[in-house]
C-alpha cells in the first residue's frame, strides 16, 4: 500500500539531497505496536510535514529521529534511521551528540523556569559550544534574532522565560533549539497551543528557517502542512500511507484514505 | 455499668420508636409511600433521634461528671472536725470517703474519734449522693426520652418534611465533627498558653528564652518550690539545634538523592521494590529507633572514637586522643545520626512527590537539547523543584525538632551549650519528658517549665509548617 | 553553501564530542550517588531490623527446669502454707539431684536459688494451697531458670569473663551445665513471653498486659478518630461551601498533622487529666490523646479518597433526584470506603507505635497485669519497650528487642491489611 519505492523519495522535491532516510521502522510501546514498517526519506533544507489523525504514529516517528523514544521505559524501536547515512540507532552514536545535531520543538511551549537568556544559552553551555561570555552573548542574540524574538525581548533578557506569551514562548523554544546550530529541527505540532496570529508568526519563521535547516513538522492542520511544507507524508493507524511533494498530495492523492482525510471525511 | 445498661435500653427504645413512627407514617397514607413527603425511614429516624439524643446526653454527662458533682456536694458540707484539717489532709479525707463508699481501698491515713465518725457519715452521705445522682440521671433520661417521643410522634403527617429535619441533624453532626479539629488546636494553644503563663509568673520569659543556665531544681515538698532552679533554656535550644543539624546532614543528601534516583533513573520494577521498603523505614516506631540508637549505635560510635583516641594518645594529637578516649555513649552524634536515618524516608517521599510534579515537558525539552539525565536533573528539574524541596526540608526540620523518643533514649540529660557533636547535649523534648514523668507536684515551676518548653516547641514547629505548607501550595499552583 | 554548512555541522560534532567523556563521567557519578543513597537507606533498614532480630530472637527461647519435689510435712505447716519456704525446698531438691551437700549456713542452696526463678516456688505454693493433701507427697514443677542462667545458656554470659565480673560464679555455671546435661533443664519456645505481663523478674516478664493495653487503647482511638474524622472530611469535602471558615479549618487540619506528638501529650495532661479528671495511665486517656493525634491524618486520608471519586457519580445520583445527603451516603462514601479504611488502618498503625505523648500522661508506670477495664492503669507495647530499655538488668535488653519484634509484627499485619485492602478494592476510574 505504500506508494514509495525503496530507491527514492518519490517525486522530485526541492533540495534533492536526502538528509534523513528511514527504513522499515517498527515501534513498540510495551506489547502495543505503534508504528508498522515505515520507510520515509526527508530531504535537506526543506520542510517535510507529517500529517494524519491523532494516534496515527506521526509523533512516534518524529521521536525516532532524535531517539527521544529511548526516554520512555518499555519502548522498542526496530529498523534503520539514517542521518547523513549513519544509523542513529547504532551503538557508536551517542544520543547526546545526536540530539545536539537534531533539535526538537514540542507541542506545548516548554521554556525552562529560567531567564530568557539562560534558556537560549542552555544548549551552548551544556555542550561547551561557547566558553566566554561575549561568545555566549553573541549566540543568544543571533538565535533570538533568527527566531524573530530579539526585538521583543532584547531589553528583558534577564526576566523569566515563563513570563512570555504562548507564541513568544514557542519562538523562545525555537531560539533555544537553534542556539546549538543543529542540522535538523523536529517540530511536534508546534502551533497547536497557539492562537492564529501567533501561529502565523511561527509559520513565517519556519519558512525562513527552511533555508538553513532540514525541518520535519508534525501537524494536525492540513492547511498548515500545505502552507509551510514542500513534502508531505500521511500516516494512518501506525502506517505510512503516502508521501510525496506537498502539492501532489493535496491535489492528487493516490490513496483513498489520504483522499478521505484531506477532504475531511475522517480525522 | 448501670449507665451502659441504660444506654442499651435507650437504644432499644429508640429503635422501637423508629419502627412505630415508620409504621405510623405509612399508615397515614394508607401504606403507599408515594403520598409521603419523605421516605418512611426518615420519619422513623426523626422520632428515634428525638428519643435517643437528649436522653443519651444526660446519661453520658452523669457518667462523666457525676463523680465530680458527688465530690463537690460532699465537700460543700464538711463536719467541723474535718474543717479543722489542712487543705491537703482534707483532700485525702474526702478521697477516702469516696473510695470507701465505692468499696475500694482507702489511703493509709488513720482517722480517730470525731474524724472517724465524720468519715463514716461522709461515706454514708457519699453513697446517698451517688445513688441520688445515678437515679436522678436515669429518671431524667427516661423523662426526656418520653418527652422526645411525645414531641416528635404527633408531628408525623404525610406532608411533614422529615427528611429535611433528619438531614438537619446530620448536618449538625457533621459540623460538630469538623469543629473537633479546631477545638483540638484551641485546646493545644489554650492549655500551653495558660500553663506557660503560670510558669512565667515565677520565671521571667526573658530569663527563660535567653538564659544560659538550665538546672530545674527538684521540688520535694510543696513549700520548697520557692527554691530557685535555673530555667534558662538556651542550652536546650542549642542542643536541639545541634541534633537537628546532624540529622539533616544525614537525611537531606541521602533522602534527596534517593528521591532523584527513584524518580529519574529507577525502572518501574526497582521503584516498586524500593519505595515500599523505604515506607517500612518510615513506619518503624520511633521508640525502636531509640532502642537502636541507645544500645547499638551508641556503643558502636563510642568504641570507634575511643579506639581512635587510643591511637592518638601520646602522639602529636595527644589532647585530642585523651578527649576521644573519654567520649560517652550519649553523644549528640548518635541521636542525630539515628534521627537522620528516621527522616530519610520522610525527605525522600516528600521530595519524590515534588520532583514528580515537575512537568515531563521540561525534561523532554532538556533531553531533546542533548543534555544528559544528570544535566537535566541538575540544571532544569532541581531548580524548578527547589522551592518544593526547601519546603520538604523545612518539614523534616520540624519533625527533627519535635522528635522525642530517639533523643530521650539516646541523648543525655546534661544541658550544655555546645556545638561539639561528640559532646552530650539535651533537647527541648527530652527535658519535657524528664520534667513530666514520675509523680510531681503539678504546680511547681519545674513541671510548669515543661509547658513553657512545649509552647516554644509548638510555636517553632508551627511556624516551620506554615511556611513550608505555603511554599508547597504556591509550588503546586505553579504547575497545575 | 553546502560546503560551509557541512563544516559547521562538523565543528558542532567535534565540540560536542570533545566534552562527551567528561559529561558521561559526570552522569555515571551522579547516578552512582543516587544508587549509593538508596543503598545506604536500605542497608540502614537491614541493619536495624537485623540487629533487633539478632538481639531479640533469644527471648523466644526459654530454659525451664523440671524437678520433682517432695513436700516434706516437717517443713510445711498445713495451717500456714504460705509461710513455708518452697524456694528452699526446690533448691535442696536440685542440690540433692546434683549430689552436693549443703553446709549449715545454706550457702549452696541460696546460690541455687539465685539461678532458679522464684516462679517455681510460687507454682508449688499455689499447688499446695489448692490441695493441702499434697503435703507429704512428691510434686513435679516446671518453671524457668532465672534470667542470668538463661543468659549463660544463650552465651551472653561467658565463662571466659573473670569470675568477679560476672553475676554467676564458676560453681553456679558448673551446676547449670550439669543441669542441662542431665536433662533437668530443657529449652523450648517461650510462650510465657506472650502470655504473661510485666514483672520485675526478667524471666517472668511478658508482653501480654501490653498487648491487651495497646488493643484497648487502639479501640478507643479508632472508635473516636475514625467516625469523627470520616464525618469531618465528608463535611469539608462534600457539603461545606468554600469560605473563610472552611479555609481556616483546612489550614488548621494540615498544620495539626505536623504538630509534634509530644505536644498532644501536654494537651492530654493539661486538659484531660487536670481539667476533666480522666484517670491517669488508663487506656481511655491514651486512646483520647491518640485519637486527637490521629484525627488530622484520618481526615486527610478520607478527603483524598473522596476526591478520587469522580464527580460524574455525584451528578448521576443528584440527577435521579437523590438529596445531597443521600448522594453522599449511598454513593460517594461507599465508593470511597476502601481508601478511607486504608487510611484509617495506617493511622491506627501509626498510633500503635506512638510513645512520646503517652509518657506525658503517666503510662510509664509498672503494670504487672492486664488493665482492669478502660479506666484502669495500663501499659502499651511501645511504652513497655521504653520501660524495659531503661531497665538496668541485661536480660531486659533481650526482652526489649523481643517486645519490639512483637510490636513490629502487629504493625506489619496492619500495614499488610491496608495494602491488601487497597489491592482488593482498587478502582481505576
Amino acid at each position: 500500500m505504500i506508494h514509495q519505492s525503496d530507491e527514492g523519495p518519490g517525486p522530485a522535491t526541492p533540495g534533492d539531497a536526502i538528509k534523513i532516510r528511514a527504513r522499515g521502522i517498527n515501534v513498540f510501546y510495551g506489547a502495543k505496536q505503534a508504528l508498522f514498517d515505515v520507510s520515509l526519506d526527508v530531504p535537506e533544507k526543506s520542510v517535510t510535514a507529517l500529517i494524519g489523525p491523532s494516534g496515527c504514529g506521526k509523533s512516534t516517528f518524529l521521536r525516532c529521529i532524535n531517539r527521544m523514544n529511548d526516554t520512555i521505559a518499555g519502548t522498542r524501536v526496530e529498523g534503520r534511521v539514517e542521518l547523513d547515512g549513519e544509523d542513529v540507532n547504532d551503538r557508536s552514536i551517542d544520543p547526546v551528540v545526536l540530539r545536539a545535531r537534531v533539535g526538537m520543538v514540542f507541542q506545548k511551549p516548554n521554556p525552562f523556569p529560567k531567564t530568557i537568556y539562560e534558556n537560549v544559552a542552555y544548549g551552548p553551555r551544556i555542550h561547551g559550544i561557547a566558553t566566554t561570555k561575549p561568545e555566549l552573548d553573541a549566540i543568544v542574540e543571533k538565535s533570538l534574532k533568527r527566531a524573530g524574538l530579539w526585538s521583543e525581548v532584547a531589553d528583558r533578557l534577564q526576566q523569566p522565560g515563563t513570563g512570555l506569551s504562548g507564541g513568544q514562548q514557542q519562538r523562545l523554544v525555537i531560539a533555544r533549539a537553534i542556539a546549538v546550530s543543529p542540522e535538523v529541527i523536529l517540530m511536534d505540532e508546534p502551533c497547536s497551543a497557539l492562537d492564529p496570529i501567533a501561529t502565523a508568526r511561527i509559520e513565517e519563521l519556519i519558512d525562513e528557517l527552511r533555508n538553513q535547516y532540514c525541518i520535519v513538522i508534525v501537524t494536525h492542520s492540513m492547511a498548515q502542512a500545505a502552507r509551510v511544507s514542500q513534502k508531505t507524508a500521511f500516516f494512518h493507524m501506525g502506517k505510512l500511507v503516502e508521501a510525496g511533494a506537498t502539492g501532489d498530495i493535496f491535489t492528487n492523492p493516490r490513496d483513498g484514505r489520504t483522499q478521505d482525510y484531506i477532504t475531511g471525511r475522517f480525522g | 455499668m448501670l449507665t451502659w445498661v441504660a444506654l442499651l435500653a435507650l437504644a432499644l427504645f429508640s429503635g422501637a420508636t423508629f419502627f412505630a413512627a415508620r409504621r405510623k407514617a405509612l399508615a397515614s397514607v394508607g401504606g403507599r409511600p408515594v403520598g409521603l413527603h419523605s421516605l418512611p425511614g426518615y420519619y422513623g429516624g426523626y422520632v428515634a433521634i428525638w428519643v435517643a439524643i437528649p436522653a443519651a446526653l444526660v446519661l453520658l454527662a452523669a457518667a462523666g461528671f457525676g463523680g465530680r458533682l458527688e465530690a463537690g456536694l460532699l465537700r460543700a458540707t464538711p463536719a467541723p472536725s474535718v474543717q479543722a484539717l489542712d487543705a491537703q489532709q482534707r483532700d485525702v479525707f474526702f478521697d477516702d470517703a469516696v473510695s470507701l463508699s465505692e468499696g475500694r481501698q482507702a489511703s493509709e491515713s488513720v482517722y480517730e474519734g470525731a474524724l472517724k465518725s465524720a468519715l463514716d457519715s461522709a461515706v454514708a452521705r457519699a453513697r446517698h449522693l451517688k445513688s441520688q445522682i445515678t437515679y436522678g440521671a436515669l429518671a431524667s433520661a427516661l423523662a426526656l426520652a418520653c418527652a422526645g417521643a411525645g414531641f416528635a410522634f404527633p408531628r408525623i403527617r404525610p406532608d411533614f418534611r422529615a427528611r429535611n429535619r433528619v438531614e438537619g441533624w446530620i448536618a449538625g453532626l457533621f459540623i460538630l465533627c469538623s469543629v473537633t479539629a479546631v477545638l483540638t488546636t484551641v485546646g493545644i494553644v489554650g492549655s500551653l498558653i495558660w500553663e506557660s503563663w503560670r510558669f512565667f509568673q515565677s520565671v521571667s520569659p526573658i530569663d527563660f528564652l535567653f538564659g544560659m543556665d538550665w538546672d530545674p531544681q527538684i521540688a520535694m515538698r510543696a513549700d520548697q518550690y520557692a527554691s530557685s532552679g535555673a530555667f534558662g533554656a538556651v542550652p536546650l535550644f542549642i542542643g536541639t539545634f545541634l541534633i537537628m543539624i546532624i540529622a539533616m546532614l544525614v537525611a537531606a543528601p541521602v533522602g534527596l538523592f534517593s528521591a532523584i534516583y527513584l524518580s529519574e533513573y529507577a525502572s518501574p520494577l526497582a521503584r516498586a521494590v524500593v519505595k515500599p521498603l523505604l515506607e517500612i523505614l518510615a513506619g518503624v516506631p520511633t521508640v525502636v529507633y531509640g532502642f537502636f540508637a541507645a544500645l547499638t549505635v551508641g556503643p558502636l560510635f563510642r568504641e570507634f572514637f575511643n579506639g581512635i583516641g587510643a591511637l592518638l594518645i601520646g602522639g602529636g594529637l595527644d589532647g585530642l586522643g585523651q578527649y576521644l578516649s573519654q567520649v560517652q555513649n550519649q553523644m549528640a552524634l548518635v541521636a542525630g545520626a539515628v534521627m537522620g536515618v528516621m527522616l530519610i524516608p520522610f525527605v525522600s517521599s516528600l521530595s519524590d512527590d515534588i520532583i514528580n510534579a515537575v512537568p515531563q515537558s521540561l525534561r523532554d525539552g532538556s533531553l531533546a537539547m542533548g543534555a544528559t539525565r544528570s544535566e537535566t536533573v541538575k540544571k532544569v528539574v532541581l531548580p524548578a523543584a527547589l522551592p518544593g524541596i526547601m519546603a520538604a526540608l523545612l518539614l523534616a526540620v520540624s519533625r527533627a525538632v519535635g522528635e522525642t523518643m530517639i533523643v530521650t533514649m539516646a541523648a543525655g540529660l546534661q544541658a550544655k551549650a555546645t556545638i561539639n557533636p561528640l559532646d552530650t547535649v539535651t533537647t527541648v523534648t527530652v527535658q519535657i519528658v524528664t520534667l513530666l514523668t514520675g509523680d510531681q507536684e503539678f504546680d511547681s515551676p519545674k513541671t510548669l517549665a515543661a509547658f513553657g518548653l512545649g509552647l516554644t516547641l509548638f510555636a517553632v514547629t508551627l511556624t516551620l509548617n506554615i511556611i513550608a505548607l505555603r511554599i508547597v501550595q504556591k509550588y503546586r499552583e505553579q504547575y497545575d | 553553501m553546502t560546503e560551509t554548512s557541512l563544516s559547521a555541522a562538523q565543528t558542532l560534532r567535534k565540540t560536542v564530542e570533545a566534552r562527551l567523556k567528561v559529561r558521561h563521567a559526570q552522569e555515571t557519578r551522579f547516578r552512582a550517588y543516587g544508587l549509593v543513597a538508596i543503598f545506604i537507606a536500605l542497608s540502614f533498614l537491614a541493619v536495624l531490623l537485623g540487629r533487633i532480630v539478632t538481639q531479640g530472637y533469644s527471648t523466644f527461647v526459654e530454659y525451664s527446669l523440671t524437678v520433682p519435689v517432695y513436700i516434706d510435712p516437717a517443713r510445711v505447716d498445713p495451717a500456714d502454707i504460705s509461710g513455708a519456704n518452697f524456694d528452699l525446698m526446690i533448691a535442696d531438691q536440685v542440690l540433692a539431684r546434683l549430689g552436693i551437700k549443703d553446709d549449715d549456713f545454706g550457702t549452696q542452696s541460696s546460690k541455687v536459688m539465685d539461678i532458679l526463678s522464684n516462679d517455681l516456688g510460687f507454682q508449688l505454693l499455689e499447688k499446695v494451697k489448692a490441695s493441702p493433701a499434697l503435703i507429704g507427697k512428691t510434686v513435679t514443677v516446671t518453671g524457668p531458670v532465672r534470667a542470668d542462667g538463661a543468659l549463660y545458656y544463650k552465651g551472653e554470659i561467658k565463662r571466659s569473663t573473670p569470675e568477679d565480673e560476672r553475676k554467676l560464679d564458676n560453681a553456679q555455671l558448673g551446676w547449670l551445665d550439669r543441669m542441662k546435661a542431665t536433662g533437668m533443664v530443657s529449652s523450648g519456645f517461650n510462650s510465657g513471653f506472650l502470655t504473661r505481663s510485666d514483672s520485675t523478674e526478667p524471666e517472668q516478664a511478658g508482653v501480654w498486659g501490653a498487648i491487651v493495653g495497646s488493643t484497648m487503647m487502639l479501640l478507643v482511638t479508632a472508635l473516636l478518630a475514625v467516625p469523627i474524622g470520616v464525618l469531618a472530611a465528608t463535611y469539608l469535602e462534600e457539603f461545606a461551601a468554600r469560605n473563610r471558615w472552611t479555609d481556616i479549618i483546612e489550614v488548621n487540619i494540615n498544620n495539626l498533622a505536623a504538630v509534634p506528638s509530644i505536644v498532644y501529650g501536654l494537651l492530654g495532661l493539661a486538659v484531660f487529666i487536670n481539667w476533666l479528671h480522666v484517670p491517669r495511665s488508663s487506656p481511655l486517656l491514651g486512646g483520647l490523646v491518640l485519637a486527637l493525634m490521629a484525627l488530622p491524618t484520618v481526615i486527610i486520608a478520607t478527603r483524598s479518597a473522596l476526591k478520587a471519586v469522580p464527580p460524574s457519580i455525584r451528578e448521576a445520583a443528584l440527577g435521579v433526584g437523590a438529596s445531597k445527603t443521600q448522594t453522599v451516603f449511598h454513593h460517594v462514601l461507599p465508593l470511597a470506603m476502601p481508601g478511607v479504611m486504608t487510611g484509617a488502618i495506617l493511622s491506627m498503625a501509626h498510633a500503635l507505635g506512638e510513645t512520646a505523648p503517652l509518657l506525658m500522661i503517666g503510662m510509664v508506670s509498672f503494670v504487672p497485669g492486664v488493665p482492669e477495664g478502660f479506666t484502669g492503669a495500663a501499659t502499651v507495647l511501645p511504652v513497655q519497650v521504653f520501660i524495659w530499655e531503661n531497665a538496668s538488668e541485661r536480660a531486659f535488653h533481650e526482652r526489649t528487642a523481643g517486645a519490639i519484634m512483637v510490636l513490629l509484627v502487629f504493625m506489619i499485619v496492619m500495614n499488610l491489611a491496608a495494602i491488601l485492602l487497597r489491592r482488593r478494592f482498587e478502582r481505576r476510574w
Side-chain angles (χ1 to χ4, degrees):
Chain A
M1 282 313 252
I2 300 170
H3 298 282
Q4 186 176 1
S5 58
D6 263 353
E7 52 274 12
T13 44
D16 288 331
I18 288 169
K19 186 73 180 169
I20 302 162
R21 188 193 299 267
R23 288 293 175 271
I25 304 294
N26 289 300
V27 177
F28 302 85
Y29 291 124
K32 191 175 162 284
Q33 189 166 2
L35 276 187
F36 299 85
D37 193 32
V38 172
S39 298
L40 181 69
D41 287 349
V42 177
E44 171 77 306
K45 298 209 192 312
S46 73
V47 178
T48 302
L50 310 181
I51 61 169
S54 27
C56 67
K58 51 195 194 303
S59 292
T60 305
F61 177 75
L62 197 70
R63 295 169 72 97
C64 289
I65 300 173
N66 65 346
R67 284 177 60 181
M68 276 302 276
N69 282 323
D70 293 13
T71 64
I72 304 166
T75 307
R76 193 156 52 83
V77 178
E78 287 172 2
R80 272 177 81 85
V81 181
E82 286 173 13
L83 179 64
D84 288 338
E86 279 177 294
D87 184 4
V88 301
N89 289 315
D90 192 85
R91 287 176 146 269
S92 67
I93 297 285
D94 192 306
V96 168
V97 181
L98 174 68
R99 290 174 195 157
R101 294 172 63 196
V102 183
M104 188 168 188
V105 174
F106 295 83
Q107 194 168 357
K108 236 182 92 193
N110 57 352
F112 302 138
K114 297 167 176 283
T115 62
I116 294 170
Y117 183 95
E118 284 300 323
N119 261 288
V120 181
Y122 185 76
R125 268 195 216 276
I126 54 170
H127 293 305
I129 291 168
T131 41
T132 62
K133 174 82 173 139
E135 275 177 5
L136 208 54
D137 286 348
I139 290 181
V140 169
E141 184 176 340
K142 198 175 99 189
S143 310
L144 283 170
K145 275 186 176 153
R146 220 181 257 182
L149 195 60
W150 178 252
S151 56
E152 292 159 63
V153 299
D155 54 343
R156 46 173 176 153
L157 289 176
Q158 296 309 321
Q159 284 174 20
T162 42
L164 297 171
S165 75
Q168 288 174 321
Q169 288 191 6
Q170 199 63 301
R171 277 181 284 148
L172 173 63
V173 170
I174 292 174
R176 186 176 74 190
I178 57 186
V180 291
S181 318
E183 299 157 46
V184 180
I185 301 178
L186 309 175
M187 297 189 174
D188 191 354
E189 302 188 30
C191 302
S192 65
L194 304 181
D195 61 61
I197 296 171
T199 302
R201 297 272 341 237
I202 302 279
E203 285 181 9
E204 268 169 47
L205 175 59
I206 293 172
D207 209 44
E208 287 161 26
L209 294 173
R210 171 162 70 94
N211 297 322
Q212 277 148 349
Y213 305 98
C214 163
I215 296 176
V216 187
I217 177 169
V218 165
T219 176
H220 242 98
S221 151
M222 281 166 291
Q224 185 172 60
R227 280 194 301 268
V228 302
S229 72
Q230 286 75 52
K231 180 175 177 175
T232 298
F234 173 61
F235 283 75
H236 183 55
M237 312 263 288
K239 295 191 174 90
L240 177 65
V241 176
E242 183 168 0
T246 302
D248 292 349
I249 292 277
F250 280 94
T251 53
N252 188 19
R254 280 174 288 179
D255 193 285
R257 287 169 293 176
T258 320
Q259 173 87 43
D260 288 349
Y261 182 69
I262 59 175
T263 52
R265 245 171 263 167
F266 72 89
Chain B
M1 191 58 215
L2 204 53
T3 314
W4 293 112
V5 175
L7 279 174
L8 189 66
L10 184 64
L12 289 176
F13 179 50
S14 158
T17 56
F18 174 88
F19 288 107
R22 192 164 168 267
R23 172 175 285 186
K24 180 180 171 193
L26 272 174
S28 70
V29 286
R32 289 175 304 111
V34 201
L36 289 169
H37 169 267
S38 315
L39 287 175
Y42 281 106
Y43 293 90
Y46 175 71
V47 177
I49 285 171
W50 270 109
V51 169
I53 302 288
L57 286 179
V58 167
L59 287 174
L60 288 176
F65 300 101
R68 298 180 71 187
L69 182 65
E70 178 191 339
L73 289 172
L74 198 59
R75 277 153 194 265
T77 54
S81 56
V82 178
Q83 257 167 333
L85 294 170
D86 69 35
Q88 211 178 341
Q89 286 172 312
R90 204 154 50 208
D91 284 346
V92 174
F93 174 85
F94 285 118
D95 284 349
D96 282 347
V98 173
S99 300
L100 288 171
S101 75
E102 286 165 8
R104 284 185 287 128
Q105 198 82 32
S107 75
E108 282 152 17
S109 321
V110 184
Y111 300 102
E112 280 169 342
L115 268 180
K116 178 76 185 119
S117 57
L119 184 70
D120 289 340
S121 68
V123 168
R125 195 170 141 65
R127 278 203 190 107
H128 179 64
L129 280 171
K130 190 172 182 67
S131 66
Q132 266 189 332
I133 291 167
T134 311
Y135 291 111
L138 286 180
S140 41
L142 182 64
L144 273 174
C146 294
F151 165 76
F153 217 77
R155 302 181 78 181
I156 295 175
R157 270 183 313 257
D159 60 341
F160 180 64
R161 297 157 77 91
R163 198 193 74 208
N164 306 45
R165 301 302 176 101
V166 172
E167 288 183 356
W169 277 97
I170 294 176
L173 181 68
F174 271 140
I175 294 173
L176 198 69
C177 290
S178 349
V179 168
T180 316
V182 180
L183 285 182
T184 310
T185 312
V186 172
I188 289 176
V189 175
S191 59
L192 287 179
I193 290 185
W194 169 247
E195 305 290 351
S196 306
W197 184 74
R198 295 209 296 164
F199 170 63
F200 291 131
Q201 304 276 295
S202 47
V203 177
S204 112
I206 307 285
D207 290 349
F208 174 70
L209 286 176
F210 302 105
M212 292 299 295
D213 211 6
W214 179 265
D215 185 21
Q217 290 293 322
I218 299 164
M220 294 301 287
R221 290 196 311 273
D223 59 328
Q224 221 181 15
Y225 64 67
S227 70
S228 56
F231 291 99
V234 172
L236 311 188
F237 299 153
I238 293 177
T240 309
F241 185 76
L242 175 63
I243 289 184
M244 180 273 283
I245 289 289
I246 297 171
M248 291 308 292
L249 285 177
V250 175
V254 178
L256 202 52
F257 271 109
S258 307
I260 290 172
Y261 189 86
L262 284 179
S263 58
E264 302 291 328
Y265 288 103
S267 66
L269 180 70
R271 255 178 96 86
V273 174
V274 173
K275 282 203 93 172
L277 286 176
L278 286 179
E279 276 172 30
I280 295 182
L281 205 55
V284 172
T286 52
V287 70
V288 177
Y289 282 105
F291 172 77
F292 182 64
L295 291 182
T296 303
V297 181
L300 198 73
F301 277 30
R302 191 202 60 220
E303 274 169 35
F304 173 74
F305 286 112
N306 289 357
I308 290 184
L311 288 178
L312 292 178
I313 285 178
L317 295 165
D318 185 66
L320 182 64
Q322 296 285 356
Y323 175 75
L324 286 181
S325 63
Q326 282 166 23
V327 161
Q328 290 302 305
N329 273 354
Q330 279 129 346
M331 56 188 126
L333 189 61
V334 171
V338 173
M339 194 188 283
V341 173
M342 183 198 83
L343 290 175
I344 289 173
F346 188 71
V347 172
S348 85
S349 81
L350 283 176
S351 315
D352 195 31
D353 288 350
I354 298 285
I355 290 173
N356 279 329
V358 173
Q360 186 60 32
S361 68
L362 290 184
R363 290 186 186 86
D364 285 348
S366 173
L367 291 172
M369 296 289 301
T372 60
R373 282 254 175 216
S374 65
E375 283 161 351
T376 304
V377 171
K378 281 187 280 192
K379 301 205 163 107
V380 175
V381 177
L382 284 187
L386 194 64
I389 288 171
M390 291 314 292
L393 293 180
L394 279 186
L395 285 176
V397 166
S398 156
R399 277 279 288 266
V401 168
E403 167 49 36
T404 310
M405 292 320 294
I406 295 176
V407 280
T408 302
M409 293 162 89
L413 288 172
Q414 230 178 326
K416 230 189 271 180
T418 173
I419 52 161
N420 177 359
L422 301 185
D423 221 334
T424 303
V425 295
T426 190
T427 72
V428 172
T429 49
V430 172
Q431 287 302 317
I432 295 178
V433 171
T434 324
L435 293 173
L436 287 181
T437 42
D439 295 318
Q440 251 107 30
E441 192 69 33
F442 192 71
D443 288 333
S444 76
K446 187 182 172 232
T447 46
L448 288 178
F451 285 90
L453 292 175
L455 183 64
T456 322
L457 177 68
F458 180 71
V460 169
T461 52
L462 187 70
T463 314
L464 288 171
N465 296 338
I466 289 178
I467 296 173
L469 291 176
R470 259 281 156 86
I471 298 176
V472 170
Q473 202 184 1
K474 281 258 167 69
Y475 174 78
R476 291 204 181 283
E477 278 165 8
Q478 184 192 337
Y479 290 121
D480 268 350
Chain C
M1 181 74 194
T2 314
E3 284 306 305
T4 51
S5 93
L6 248 177
S7 70
Q10 275 162 348
T11 327
L12 169 70
R13 268 178 93 155
K14 278 225 176 81
T15 337
V16 174
E17 274 163 3
R19 295 194 57 234
L20 218 49
K21 232 177 153 174
V22 179
R23 288 170 69 192
H24 281 307
Q26 278 175 350
E27 170 74 18
T28 317
R29 229 177 302 143
F30 191 75
R31 206 187 158 100
Y33 293 151
L35 269 177
V36 167
I38 287 183
F39 177 76
I40 290 176
L42 294 186
S43 48
F44 277 135
L45 178 68
V47 170
L48 178 72
L49 296 184
R51 180 74 184 146
I52 280 160
V53 172
T54 50
Q55 275 179 312
Y57 81 93
S58 57
T59 313
F60 297 94
V61 179
E62 183 186 50
Y63 290 89
S64 51
L65 171 86
T66 307
V67 64
V69 183
Y70 173 64
I71 314 285
D72 191 348
R75 295 166 76 172
V76 183
D77 176 3
D80 180 21
I81 293 171
S82 309
N85 191 342
F86 289 101
D87 288 330
L88 186 62
M89 280 197 280
I90 295 166
D92 285 343
Q93 188 62 42
V94 170
L95 278 179
R97 297 199 135 225
L98 292 173
I100 297 160
K101 282 291 272 180
D102 201 356
D103 56 22
D104 293 340
F105 305 106
T107 9
Q108 306 294 337
S109 54
S110 69
K111 270 164 83 176
V112 170
M113 280 191 265
D114 277 348
I115 56 171
L116 298 181
S117 171
N118 57 9
D119 182 50
L120 288 158
F122 276 123
Q123 283 189 31
L124 208 51
L125 170 67
E126 292 303 321
K127 279 186 182 169
V128 177
K129 254 189 178 171
S131 59
L134 287 175
I135 296 172
K137 297 202 174 99
T138 299
V139 179
T140 306
V141 282
T142 303
V145 171
R146 202 174 274 267
D148 292 326
L151 284 181
Y152 171 65
Y153 285 137
K154 289 167 187 170
E156 292 282 318
I157 291 179
K158 293 187 183 69
R159 242 178 214 282
S160 52
T161 321
E163 195 173 6
D164 50 351
E165 283 176 25
R166 52 174 139 86
K167 282 194 163 173
L168 304 175
D169 62 20
N170 286 338
Q172 285 170 318
L173 294 190
W175 298 338
L176 282 167
D177 285 339
R178 282 178 57 196
M179 276 154 67
K180 191 156 182 215
T182 56
M184 279 167 79
V185 167
S186 61
S187 62
F189 178 70
N190 184 1
S191 58
F193 183 67
L194 299 174
T195 56
R196 292 166 187 261
S197 298
D198 199 6
S199 163
T200 47
E201 303 298 329
E203 74 278 359
Q204 294 173 41
V207 290
W208 179 241
I211 290 177
V212 174
S214 273
T215 312
M216 290 168 79
M217 192 183 69
L218 273 194
L219 206 62
V220 176
T221 307
L223 285 178
L224 287 171
V226 176
I228 294 181
V230 170
L231 288 181
T234 312
Y235 177 73
L236 290 173
E237 195 62 38
E238 302 286 334
F239 293 97
R242 291 202 60 87
N243 57 29
R244 216 151 49 108
W245 283 109
T246 44
D247 277 352
I248 290 177
I249 295 181
E250 181 157 0
V251 169
N252 183 20
I253 289 169
N254 285 336
N255 280 310
L256 269 186
V259 166
S261 60
I262 192 171
V263 171
Y264 285 94
L266 292 173
L267 171 77
L269 177 58
V271 173
F272 291 131
I273 297 185
N274 288 335
W275 193 46
L276 294 175
H277 296 277
V278 179
R280 271 175 88 89
S281 333
S282 62
L284 175 68
L285 176 59
L288 278 169
V289 170
L290 292 188
L292 291 185
M293 202 192 76
L295 193 58
T297 357
V298 176
I299 294 179
I300 291 170
T302 308
R303 289 190 73 170
S304 62
L306 288 171
K307 275 202 185 99
V309 178
S312 58
I313 303 275
R314 295 176 185 87
E315 285 154 12
L318 291 173
V320 297
S323 73
K324 187 84 198 171
T325 317
Q326 286 168 328
T327 306
V328 170
F329 280 96
H330 296 173
H331 301 282
V332 181
L333 260 185
L335 288 174
M337 224 41 194
V340 173
M341 289 325 292
T342 309
I345 294 175
L346 289 179
S347 57
M348 288 308 113
H350 183 76
L352 172 65
E354 196 53 70
T355 324
L358 303 180
L359 303 184
M360 308 282 91
I361 53 174
M363 282 199 133
V364 262
S365 42
F366 172 67
V367 182
V370 294
E372 304 162 2
F374 284 94
T375 52
T379 189
V380 294
L381 273 172
V383 176
Q384 189 71 75
V385 169
F386 178 67
I387 295 174
W388 283 349
E389 192 269 338
N390 268 332
S392 51
E393 267 179 277
R394 204 158 146 203
F396 270 120
H397 291 173
E398 164 197 272
R399 309 244 143 193
T400 315
I404 288 175
M405 286 166 73
V406 174
L407 176 62
L408 289 180
V409 165
F410 275 96
M411 303 206 63
I412 288 168
V413 167
M414 290 174 85
N415 278 290
L416 276 183
I419 290 170
L420 287 181
L421 201 65
R422 191 157 47 187
R423 288 262 165 85
R424 175 91 171 70
F425 294 102
E426 194 170 47
R427 215 184 283 260
R428 291 253 167 257
W429 302 102

